[in-house]
Amino acid sequence: MNNPTQLSLLQDEIRHRYETLSKRLKQVARYILDNSNSIAFDTVASIAAQASVPPSTLIRFANAFGFSGFNEMKQVFRQHLMEETVNYTERARLFRQTATDDSVAPEKPAEILNVFTMVNAQALQQLAMQISAEQLDRAIELLNNAENIYVIGLRRSFSVASYLTYALRHLERRAFLIDGLGGMFTEQLSMVKPKDVVIAISYSPYAKEAIELVELGAKQGAQQIAITDSQVSPLAAFSDVCFVVREAQVDGFRSQVASMCLAQTLAVSLALNNAKDL
């Protein structure tokens, strides 16, 4: 079983909605489903010509699936290439292949630092606008009332999960990091109860072990908080609170600044909430 990605979820949605699309949009849908490997490299004009539609139809198609424009949709295909490429040197090469005139790759360390600083600042501004006060209040309420808190974060999510577990322990909360040591993922979450909270952190490509664990948590009746990168993430369906975090990325390398900021916000907010009760 392959881990679901934003691209695979988008492709599934296109297939699911195919019969409801107009004739022109069906042409775009067929081309995108049949040529997913080339979408990241081709220009909008080239894709439109090969799909036998005007460029404006590509924009309408992207809008129909929740994107502000077709270039934003192309980023899903581009990111998929990066995710499938484990070697960082190869990722850098792919970035240069898919870069457009307005996305020249930084080369020198100082340039990379400047770019990461800029895009992370933008990601943090977006985080503050995308996360509602109601979501934060609900998450703090769940954490405050939890008897036990289980934190799941695998692969690139592990650092965020580790920090959050560390912070919760400093608040004297019964927090447990599900790291699957010895392959015991299920065993580590087997004692979860309805009065517990499961915090699951996963980004595309979503770790299948994380999905299996949130399904187990749901069966056990636990409350769930998801930190992920899409409203259609597999984690979202099981969550009581779903935080969608758009991380900054440069050359296909994604940051974790926004996710760490959210984790710290939850920890400090819980600490201040506890102080009120003293």
Side-chain angles (χ1 to χ4, degrees), residues 126-136 242-245 262:
Q126 290 178 355
L127 178 70
M129 292 186 291
Q130 291 170 346
I131 304 299
S132 70
E134 290 76 18
Q135 285 179 296
L136 290 169
C242 180
F243 293 110
V244 175
V245 179
L262 176 59

Side-chain angles (χ1 to χ4, degrees), residues 12 20-21 23 33 38 46 50 66 69 72-73 96 103 120 131-133 148 151 171 177-179 209 233 246 265 269:
D12 288 344
T20 68
L21 301 176
K23 180 181 177 180
L33 292 174
S38 64
S46 173
Q50 294 178 77
E72 184 181 355
M73 177 178 276
R96 288 178 175 83
S103 61
N120 276 312
I131 304 299
S132 70
N148 302 287
V151 187
L171 293 172
L177 177 64
I178 306 300
D179 57 9
E209 296 91 347
S233 161
R246 307 290 188 186
T265 298
S269 297

Side-chain angles (χ1 to χ4, degrees), residues 11-238:
Q11 290 171 326
D12 288 344
E13 186 179 2
I14 292 173
R15 294 186 190 98
H16 178 71
R17 293 175 52 188
Y18 180 80
E19 293 301 329
T20 68
L21 301 176
S22 66
K23 180 181 177 180
R24 283 284 177 85
L25 294 187
K26 282 182 178 178
Q27 289 176 235
V28 177
R30 283 197 298 271
Y31 183 82
I32 286 178
L33 292 174
D34 292 342
N35 300 276
S36 60
N37 289 337
S38 64
I39 297 296
F41 298 95
D42 294 339
T43 64
V44 172
S46 173
I47 295 169
Q50 294 178 77
S52 301
V53 297
S56 60
T57 303
L58 296 184
I59 298 172
R60 288 197 297 113
F61 183 86
N63 293 160
F65 287 88
F67 297 91
S68 60
F70 193 75
N71 279 328
E72 184 181 355
M73 177 178 276
K74 277 185 63 177
Q75 292 303 312
V76 175
F77 293 83
R78 190 163 171 261
Q79 182 61 40
H80 181 74
L81 284 176
M82 303 297 180
E83 291 167 351
E84 291 293 295
T85 307
V86 177
N87 183 280
Y88 277 15
T89 301
E90 186 66 13
R91 283 192 185 186
R93 186 187 67 79
L94 274 173
F95 179 83
R96 288 178 175 83
Q97 278 188 270
T98 59
T100 60
D101 292 338
D102 58 351
S103 61
V104 178
E107 299 287 345
K108 298 179 180 179
E111 293 174 346
I112 295 171
L113 175 61
N114 288 337
V115 172
F116 263 119
T117 300
M118 179 184 68
V119 296
N120 276 312
Q122 293 173 345
L124 289 172
Q125 288 180 335
Q126 290 178 355
L127 178 70
M129 292 186 291
Q130 291 170 346
I131 304 299
S132 70
E134 290 76 18
Q135 285 179 296
L136 290 169
D137 290 343
R138 177 59 175 153
I140 297 306
E141 179 186 5
L142 292 177
L143 294 173
N144 191 53
N145 295 330
E147 290 187 357
N148 302 287
I149 301 170
Y150 296 90
V151 187
I152 304 166
L154 309 176
R155 293 193 284 278
R156 68 179 296 267
S157 305
F158 184 77
S159 57
V160 182
S162 298
Y163 166 75
L164 192 49
T165 306
Y166 162 84
L168 291 170
R169 287 287 184 91
H170 273 272
L171 293 172
E172 299 181 343
R173 304 310 301 260
R174 290 176 55 82
F176 305 94
L177 177 64
I178 306 300
D179 57 9
L181 183 64
M184 295 189 296
F185 288 104
T186 302
E187 289 82 354
Q188 287 181 333
L189 199 63
S190 62
M191 299 299 291
V192 66
K193 298 290 189 295
K195 291 184 179 181
D196 298 335
V197 168
V198 175
I199 303 175
I201 308 165
S202 189
Y203 312 96
S204 177
Y206 310 102
K208 64 183 181 67
E209 296 91 347
I211 299 169
E212 292 168 356
L213 288 171
V214 297
E215 289 178 349
L216 174 60
K219 289 178 182 178
Q220 298 287 81
Q223 304 289 316
Q224 303 214 41
I225 298 171
I227 300 176
T228 187
D229 56 2
S230 172
Q231 290 288 355
V232 295
S233 161
L235 273 60
F238 300 97

Side-chain angles (χ1 to χ4, degrees), residues 248-261:
Q249 65 177 32
V250 178
D251 275 22
F253 303 104
R254 284 181 290 180
S255 174
Q256 293 186 322
V257 170
S259 298
M260 281 292 191
C261 181

